[in-house]
Amino acid sequence: MAKVIFGITLMLLLTTLSSSITNAQSTNTCTNHPFQSNNQQQPNYKSCVDLPSLNSFLHYTYSPATETLNIAYRHPVGGSTGPATSKWVVWAINPTSKSMVGSQALVAYRSPIDGTLTAYTSPITSYGTMLEKGDLSFNVSELKAEFSNGEIVIFATIKVSINGSTQVNQVWQEGPLSSDGTPRMHSLSGDNVRSMASLDLLSGVIAPANGGSGGFGTSWKNTHGVINTMSWGILMPLGVIIARYVKFFPSADPAWFYLHVGCQLTAYIFGVAGWATGLKLTSGPQHIHHPTHRCIGTTIFSMATLQVLALFVRPKKDHKYRVYWNVYHHSVGYATIILGVYNIFEGFRILKPDNVWRVGYGGVLLGLVVSFVVLEATTWYLSFKRKRIANVAEENKSSINHV
């Protein structure tokens, strides 16, 4: 019954999500959008595409004979015609690869001080760029920006040389401004890491640069998330359930111990791999920086390592220090699981995967919690029943002895 309810809930959730996306796409479209410049209607662009993230749009006219590309890039920043919005926007072409580094960017923002618009060019040479002004590797003319109806629009004419191909690698992005109008680092999760795609200038076909649909894929971040969810979020709690409840039955001794150790060691091995991918993300060219998530992850890995090492100093059952070892082992183990589950949801918040992944892990976690509650109640009942039987037997034995 629970599986049926979960399936229906998941189906309704996905249906609602799909409907919301469809409605959003039907209301936010580039088709027949009028451009106003100095109260004069600009000529319509021959092509337009709804970009697959950040609710952005590209209008363009491409001339193969002259290799000239006229573009109008629309990006919502909010604020309508009211106060200035502290956000910069970028549209760029990367002539060499499908990545951020190497992109030749057109930058625009509305000053948070007086609302004036600024538009300029910026070559992206590193992941830590502050969008400094500079010349691009191709010619750009008629560069300007406008603000209307909560959108910043970048206009430009670009001389593109694509060596007989009709495809360009485009990058579009948004990020915050400091109080003095200096661009700051954009978010490193969600749509901000999905805003790259190739564009066929003749057909208008867009292909995401990562070859995916925006959900969990094969990138380092996604691999990191899947491995750690399996380790700290599923296998580790399962190992605790085995240790706490299977050993309640005398016939399961010592099988429960080997099951528990096997499950926890498997979880730890996965955890080591997850920690390694996390180090690669923070130290590699991506230089992804989420201090809270990283610190909690390092703490979890350290505590789990202590748990594994504790197996080699585990006192025997009748040892006088065994009770202290049990207190340490149980407290560190439960703390590791609690921090692990919290950090998984912190990772969901950072990565922003499709809802089916959140719901899926939520269902697994709910199943573990329900199992824990049911088994806890069952063992308490059986324990009470055993004590009552033992007391009755003791009373009968005492009565026989008196007789």
Side-chain angles (χ1 to χ4, degrees), residues 157-213:
T157 299
I158 301 170
K159 185 71 173 179
V160 293
S161 178
I162 47 183
N163 300 321
S165 173
T166 61
Q167 287 194 339
V168 293
N169 302 317
Q170 59 171 338
V171 180
W172 62 99
Q173 194 56 264
E174 67 176 18
L177 294 170
S178 61
S179 58
D180 62 354
T182 303
R184 297 169 58 191
M185 176 67 72
H186 64 77
S187 171
L188 297 174
S189 62
D191 280 352
N192 291 90
V193 296
R194 301 176 184 135
S195 52
M196 291 183 287
S198 63
L199 170 66
D200 190 306
L201 295 174
L202 294 184
S203 68
V205 173
I206 286 184
N210 60 4
S213 60

Side-chain angles (χ1 to χ4, degrees), residues 123-390:
I124 309 300
T125 58
S126 71
Y127 284 98
T129 180
M130 298 304 292
L131 296 177
E132 297 87 352
K133 294 183 180 180
D135 294 331
L136 304 187
S137 62
F138 46 73
N139 293 327
V140 178
S141 60
E142 301 179 40
L143 175 61
K144 61 182 178 180
E146 293 183 354
F147 179 78
S148 177
N149 297 322
E151 290 182 334
I152 287 180
V153 186
I154 299 176
F155 299 95
T157 299
I158 301 170
K159 185 71 173 179
V160 293
S161 178
I162 47 183
N163 300 321
S165 173
T166 61
Q167 287 194 339
V168 293
N169 302 317
Q170 59 171 338
V171 180
W172 62 99
Q173 194 56 264
E174 67 176 18
L177 294 170
S178 61
S179 58
D180 62 354
T182 303
R184 297 169 58 191
M185 176 67 72
H186 64 77
S187 171
L188 297 174
S189 62
D191 280 352
N192 291 90
V193 296
R194 301 176 184 135
S195 52
M196 291 183 287
S198 63
L199 170 66
D200 190 306
L201 295 174
L202 294 184
S203 68
V205 173
I206 286 184
N210 60 4
S213 60
F216 271 61
T218 58
S219 69
W220 281 106
K221 287 184 298 180
N222 301 332
T223 303
H224 173 75
V226 171
I227 289 176
N228 283 291
T229 299
M230 285 293 299
S231 171
W232 314 117
I234 298 177
L235 291 175
M236 196 69 74
L238 182 61
V240 171
I241 289 175
I242 291 172
R244 182 168 177 80
Y245 301 113
V246 177
K247 74 175 181 180
F248 182 78
F249 302 96
S251 60
D253 192 19
W256 72 265
F257 176 74
Y258 297 113
L259 287 172
H260 168 67
V261 171
C263 192
Q264 301 303 73
L265 283 179
T266 303
Y268 180 73
I269 292 170
F270 272 100
V272 171
W275 187 61
T277 55
L279 290 178
K280 181 172 181 64
L281 288 170
T282 57
S283 61
Q286 301 94 339
H287 195 60
I288 295 175
H289 187 61
H290 293 287
T292 301
H293 185 68
R294 181 185 61 190
C295 289
I296 295 175
T298 301
T299 302
I300 293 169
F301 175 75
S302 301
M303 294 170 68
T305 301
L306 288 176
Q307 288 287 78
V308 171
L309 294 177
L311 288 173
F312 299 100
V313 294
R314 177 172 172 258
K316 294 182 178 180
K317 291 182 180 180
D318 56 352
H319 196 283
K320 63 179 181 179
Y321 292 126
R322 178 59 181 260
V323 63
Y324 302 110
W325 186 90
N326 285 340
V327 170
Y328 153 79
H329 185 65
H330 294 162
S331 59
V332 173
Y334 285 122
T336 300
I337 290 173
I338 292 171
L339 285 175
V341 172
Y342 174 84
N343 218 30
I344 287 169
F345 283 101
E346 180 71 8
F348 284 151
R349 183 191 66 80
I350 294 169
L351 192 57
K352 293 183 174 62
D354 295 336
N355 279 343
V356 65
W357 293 95
R358 298 174 187 268
V359 174
Y361 177 66
V364 172
L365 184 61
L366 179 62
L368 291 171
V369 171
V370 170
S371 299
F372 179 86
V373 172
V374 172
L375 290 171
E376 185 73 13
T378 302
T379 52
W380 274 92
Y381 169 75
L382 293 176
S383 179
F384 176 77
K385 187 176 180 180
R386 286 179 182 178
K387 286 182 179 180
R388 187 174 62 181
I389 294 173

Side-chain angles (χ1 to χ4, degrees), residues 20-33 48-59 74-76 149-151:
S20 300
I21 294 174
T22 302
N23 290 337
Q25 290 177 338
S26 64
T27 55
N28 296 305
T29 178
C30 64
T31 306
N32 299 323
H33 178 82
C48 70
V49 290
D50 297 351
L51 299 177
S53 61
L54 295 177
N55 197 28
S56 303
F57 313 93
L58 179 68
H59 304 251
R74 294 167 45 214
H75 192 109
N149 297 322
E151 290 182 334

Side-chain angles (χ1 to χ4, degrees), residues 6-168:
F6 173 72
I8 293 174
T9 303
L10 178 60
M11 183 174 64
L12 290 174
L13 179 62
L14 294 176
T15 302
T16 303
L17 179 64
S18 176
S19 177
S20 300
I21 294 174
T22 302
N23 290 337
Q25 290 177 338
S26 64
T27 55
N28 296 305
T29 178
C30 64
T31 306
N32 299 323
H33 178 82
F35 291 100
Q36 297 294 330
S37 179
N38 299 322
N39 297 321
Q40 297 294 323
Q41 180 85 11
Q42 288 200 3
N44 288 330
Y45 291 88
K46 291 183 178 179
S47 304
C48 70
V49 290
D50 297 351
L51 299 177
S53 61
L54 295 177
N55 197 28
S56 303
F57 313 93
L58 179 68
H59 304 251
Y60 67 94
T61 298
Y62 174 59
S63 173
T66 60
E67 294 187 325
T68 301
L69 179 66
N70 293 296
I71 66 105
Y73 170 68
R74 294 167 45 214
H75 192 109
V77 293
S80 188
T81 56
T85 304
S86 298
K87 187 180 291 186
W88 54 262
V89 303
V90 157
W91 185 83
I93 289 177
N94 191 327
T96 58
S97 65
K98 296 179 179 180
S99 65
M100 171 182 165
V101 173
S103 296
Q104 308 296 297
L106 311 178
V107 186
Y109 62 84
R110 193 177 180 217
S111 170
I113 301 174
D114 56 14
T116 58
L117 281 166
T118 299
Y120 63 93
T121 58
S122 176
I124 309 300
T125 58
S126 71
Y127 284 98
T129 180
M130 298 304 292
L131 296 177
E132 297 87 352
K133 294 183 180 180
D135 294 331
L136 304 187
S137 62
F138 46 73
N139 293 327
V140 178
S141 60
E142 301 179 40
L143 175 61
K144 61 182 178 180
E146 293 183 354
F147 179 78
S148 177
N149 297 322
E151 290 182 334
I152 287 180
V153 186
I154 299 176
F155 299 95
T157 299
I158 301 170
K159 185 71 173 179
V160 293
S161 178
I162 47 183
N163 300 321
S165 173
T166 61
Q167 287 194 339
V168 293

